[in-house]
Amino acid sequence: AMSHYGMGEPCLQKVSSYSTLLQRDRWDQEPDRARNREKAEHVIKKMDLDGDGKLDKKELYAEVTKSSQQKKEVLAMGDFRYNWERLLSKKDLKELKEEAIDVWAEDALQYHDLDRDRKISADELAYNFLHWNVIQYRAEKIKRRHQKEKDWAKAVLESEKDILKRFYCADPTACPALEELERYGEALLKSKKLRKAKMRHIERMGGGEEQDEELTFVDRKTGESERMKTSEVQGSEL
């Protein structure tokens, strides 16, 4: 699990900096294995400082601290922004930002390190780039574009079937996930109530709504702890 997020997070927007390693691209375009493989190899070559063909936490940290602009981007996209920052001294604020970027590097490593050897290989990065590409492509496809709800449901189901066949099912002719989707699709097309509920759920996901999670804050000096909900923290003047 990524180290600075709780159970109510992260939504797609907040996890994007880890999944993409801040690489700019049209991630919602048609998924392509070869393109993502080429992109992964380019990123490895650019960030690999010791020449072992893999990325570690130190190399990720080094890459995103090359300039003040990159640091700002990591802090913003990694959601390391807090209302109480203005109460800190310059020294404490600098320490907070350094720790936050270190946490970002750890989170990015955990996201991509599939075999848990504390390294990111080209294979792992290519796999995860493709995975993110598929997720963003699906998210774009399920958006409702002035369609009647039943037409929207039919289009989404066909798109999801295509994605399963190409990127999930080892054998599309014998794929339990595909069979389950087809059964669900039949129920969805028969029930207007179910379609409306599904559309509302997807709209909330697209809007980045999060659960109002309860967090624990611990004072480093006294050891005292306090529990607050995320909504309270976000609106707090502290």
Side-chain angles (χ1 to χ4, degrees), residues 7 9 28 62 80 86 149 233:
M7 294 300 292
E9 299 179 279
D28 60 356
F80 297 101
R86 64 184 182 279
E149 61 187 35
V233 176

Side-chain angles (χ1 to χ4, degrees), residues 114-128:
L114 301 178
D115 62 9
R116 297 294 179 254
D117 67 348
R118 304 293 296 171
K119 296 270 189 174
I120 303 172
S121 68
D123 287 342
E124 289 172 323
L125 194 57
Y127 175 89
N128 281 314

Side-chain angles (χ1 to χ4, degrees), residues 2 6 27 29 48 55 59 66-67 73-74 84 99-100 109 122 132 187 201 227-228 231:
M2 286 184 288
W27 290 99
Q29 64 185 308
D48 180 20
L55 301 180
E59 289 166 330
K66 284 182 176 179
S67 69
E73 188 174 1
V74 167
W84 42 263
E99 287 182 1
L109 176 66
W132 186 249
H201 176 68
R227 295 186 68 80
M228 294 178 69
S231 59

Side-chain angles (χ1 to χ4, degrees), residues 149-150 153 184-198:
E149 61 187 35
K150 196 164 188 177
Y184 178 77
E186 291 175 4
L188 189 68
L189 294 177
K190 289 178 181 177
S191 172
K192 186 174 183 178
K193 182 179 179 180
L194 182 59
R195 289 196 300 273
K196 286 188 174 182
K198 178 56 64 176

Side-chain angles (χ1 to χ4, degrees), residues 93-235:
L93 183 59
K94 181 181 178 183
E95 180 182 338
L96 172 68
K97 290 181 177 180
E98 288 175 351
E99 287 182 1
I101 295 173
D102 184 74
V103 167
W104 180 92
E106 176 64 29
D107 287 347
L109 176 66
Q110 289 188 30
Y111 183 97
H112 291 286
D113 179 23
L114 301 178
D115 62 9
R116 297 294 179 254
D117 67 348
R118 304 293 296 171
K119 296 270 189 174
I120 303 172
S121 68
D123 287 342
E124 289 172 323
L125 194 57
Y127 175 89
N128 281 314
F129 275 177
L130 176 63
H131 184 250
W132 186 249
N133 186 185
V134 169
I135 288 172
Q136 293 300 312
Y137 177 77
R138 290 176 63 205
E140 182 64 23
K141 283 288 186 179
I142 65 176
K143 290 178 181 177
R144 189 181 183 190
R145 304 185 187 283
H146 308 292
Q147 297 163 294
K148 292 181 179 180
E149 61 187 35
K150 196 164 188 177
D151 292 337
W152 167 83
K154 287 179 179 178
V156 170
L157 286 167
E158 287 306 311
S159 176
E160 289 292 281
K161 288 177 187 178
D162 175 61
I163 287 293
L164 282 176
K165 289 175 182 177
R166 289 193 290 152
F167 299 105
Y168 182 80
C169 302
D171 180 4
T173 63
C175 181
L178 186 57
E179 294 169 5
E180 182 180 353
L181 176 62
E182 288 174 344
R183 288 194 297 271
Y184 178 77
E186 291 175 4
L188 189 68
L189 294 177
K190 289 178 181 177
S191 172
K192 186 174 183 178
K193 182 179 179 180
L194 182 59
R195 289 196 300 273
K196 286 188 174 182
K198 178 56 64 176
M199 287 178 66
R200 285 195 300 270
H201 176 68
I202 289 172
E203 286 168 359
R204 287 198 299 271
M205 288 174 58
E209 290 187 14
E210 301 163 8
Q211 299 175 29
D212 197 11
E213 184 186 6
E214 192 172 56
L215 307 174
T216 300
F217 294 87
V218 180
D219 189 299
R220 290 184 179 183
K221 294 181 179 179
T222 67
E224 294 181 355
S225 63
E226 178 185 7
R227 295 186 68 80
M228 294 178 69
K229 291 184 178 295
T230 52
S231 59
E232 294 172 337
V233 176
Q234 291 164 357

Side-chain angles (χ1 to χ4, degrees), residues 14-108:
K14 289 184 178 179
V15 80
S16 65
S17 67
Y18 309 101
S19 56
T20 67
L21 297 184
L22 301 175
Q23 303 304 301
R24 285 172 169 69
D25 199 356
R26 277 287 313 280
W27 290 99
D28 60 356
Q29 64 185 308
E30 180 77 25
D32 182 270
R33 285 187 173 85
R35 186 184 68 246
N36 283 289
R37 176 74 193 192
E38 182 179 352
K39 189 185 306 172
E41 290 175 351
H42 171 75
V43 170
I44 294 281
K45 185 177 181 180
K46 181 177 71 169
M47 297 186 185
D48 180 20
L49 300 179
D50 60 12
D52 68 348
K54 298 182 178 182
L55 301 180
D56 59 23
K57 180 180 175 180
K58 289 182 180 179
E59 289 166 330
L60 293 171
Y61 185 93
E63 177 65 24
V64 298
T65 54
K66 284 182 176 179
S67 69
S68 59
Q69 182 58 38
Q70 285 175 296
K71 292 178 183 178
K72 289 178 181 178
E73 188 174 1
V74 167
L75 292 171
M77 293 187 68
D79 199 34
F80 297 101
R81 295 175 294 185
Y82 311 100
N83 290 336
W84 42 263
E85 285 183 15
R86 64 184 182 279
L87 302 176
L88 299 178
S89 66
K90 288 185 178 179
K91 179 182 177 182
D92 288 342
L93 183 59
K94 181 181 178 183
E95 180 182 338
L96 172 68
K97 290 181 177 180
E98 288 175 351
E99 287 182 1
I101 295 173
D102 184 74
V103 167
W104 180 92
E106 176 64 29
D107 287 347

